[in-house]
Amino acid sequence: MSASTAFTAAIVPAAGLGTRFLPTTKAVPKELLPVVDTPGIEYVAAEAAEAGAERLIIVTSPGKDAVAQYFQPRPDLEKTLADRGKAALLEKVRRAPGLLAVETAIQEEALGLGHAVGCAEPNLRPEDEAVAVLLPDDLVLPTGVLARMAEVRAAKGGTVLCAFDIPRAEISAYGVFDVEETGDPDVKKVNGMVEKPPADQAPSTFAAAGRYLLDRAIFDALKRITPGAGGELQLTDAIALLISEGHPVHVVVHRGGRHDLGNPGGFLRAAVDFALDHPEYGPSLQAWLRERIGSQ
Ligand code: G1P
């Protein structure tokens, strides 16, 4: 198995209520909120496709059909845009459906991230020895870390995760790794993992950053865990169980940027960051921000 063909299925858990974005999420799933003009989940789907995924399994909850619908073609709209000669808009509208094949798995009850990932097991095919999981709250920039993770799995086997070095004061919001050095400063062996530890008990400052390349063994482990942090079935606890049984787990330390789309403050930063780079909106936004901040 070559690194580029290490996985063809990617799971995106998107079943949450989006409480931090209420009241908007009464009607619009948070995964569809636009970062400038493109929903966050399209960036995540594009990242999965770029890394070799052919199928995207969106784990969704009843009433959030719009997330999967977003990836369906809209022939009526395409025809209107084509008739009007709107080639650039047509290209935008076709982009998401053209990325990869999207299917859904339903999580009936919000029992945690581990439970959500487990809900996608029936969607896997016999040949899926590993599966990628991308959390749509996390934008990891630049893209490319999944390909690096696939290389590490090809070399070392087992499960490979993405880690960020996070300030200790913020570490209790994350799954945290107990790590051991390898010869490569950006690849570490994981000896343990703990979900949302108090800062003074965190085994390191390396935190899980929403990108996972999981060996299929994870689904068996997910069936054997009990509720953990927050009373939820945690993916972290299933990974920790595998480690305790001798399953190899490594992290690739990503030194690039990251945005947290899971709360309005982080979402706004991402939107401003992307807008500043946008040829149409960037220059005037920058001028306005300078004036706005200067006048505080
Ligand atoms: C989840 C995971 C956590 C991980 C984080 C990354 O937590 O449980 O291990 O570090 O995503 O964003 P959540 O942010 O959903 O509470």
Side-chain angles (χ1 to χ4, degrees), residues 20 30 113-114 135 137-138 162 171 173-177 193-196 207-212 232 234-236 258 260 262:
R20 281 172 288 190
K30 74 171 171 182
L113 177 60
L135 304 189
D137 279 356
D138 291 299
C162 173
I171 202 77
Y174 296 94
V176 185
F177 302 111
M193 188 175 178
V194 47
E195 182 69 13
K196 299 188 173 68
R211 299 293 179 272
Y212 309 75
E232 297 190 334
Q234 297 289 354
L235 182 57
T236 291
R258 173 175 172 267
D260 179 2

Side-chain angles (χ1 to χ4, degrees), residues 174-193:
Y174 296 94
V176 185
F177 302 111
D178 181 359
V179 291
E180 180 184 317
E181 298 300 325
T182 65
D184 182 337
D186 290 342
V187 178
K188 299 186 194 297
K189 183 172 183 293
V190 182
N191 292 327
M193 188 175 178

Side-chain angles (χ1 to χ4, degrees), residues 100-226:
L100 72 189
V102 168
E103 56 195 270
T104 53
I106 303 289
Q107 186 189 27
E108 297 283 350
E109 266 185 290
L111 298 178
L113 177 60
H115 180 257
V117 170
C119 289
E121 186 183 10
N123 295 64
L124 296 186
R125 295 180 179 163
E127 63 271 24
D128 290 325
E129 291 173 22
V131 64
V133 172
L134 295 89
L135 304 189
D137 279 356
D138 291 299
L139 284 187
V140 178
L141 302 165
T143 57
V145 74
L146 279 172
R148 180 83 184 93
M149 288 158 64
E151 285 169 14
V152 173
R153 175 170 150 90
K156 299 185 183 291
T159 287
V160 184
L161 315 178
C162 173
F164 265 72
D165 199 358
I166 302 272
R168 192 168 277 272
E170 295 162 28
I171 202 77
S172 64
Y174 296 94
V176 185
F177 302 111
D178 181 359
V179 291
E180 180 184 317
E181 298 300 325
T182 65
D184 182 337
D186 290 342
V187 178
K188 299 186 194 297
K189 183 172 183 293
V190 182
N191 292 327
M193 188 175 178
V194 47
E195 182 69 13
K196 299 188 173 68
D200 60 350
Q201 286 166 36
S204 75
T205 54
F206 291 106
R211 299 293 179 272
Y212 309 75
L213 180 52
L214 300 168
D215 188 277
R216 198 171 178 137
I218 195 72
F219 292 98
D220 180 60
L222 284 168
K223 290 175 194 128
R224 292 186 287 130
I225 55 167
T226 53

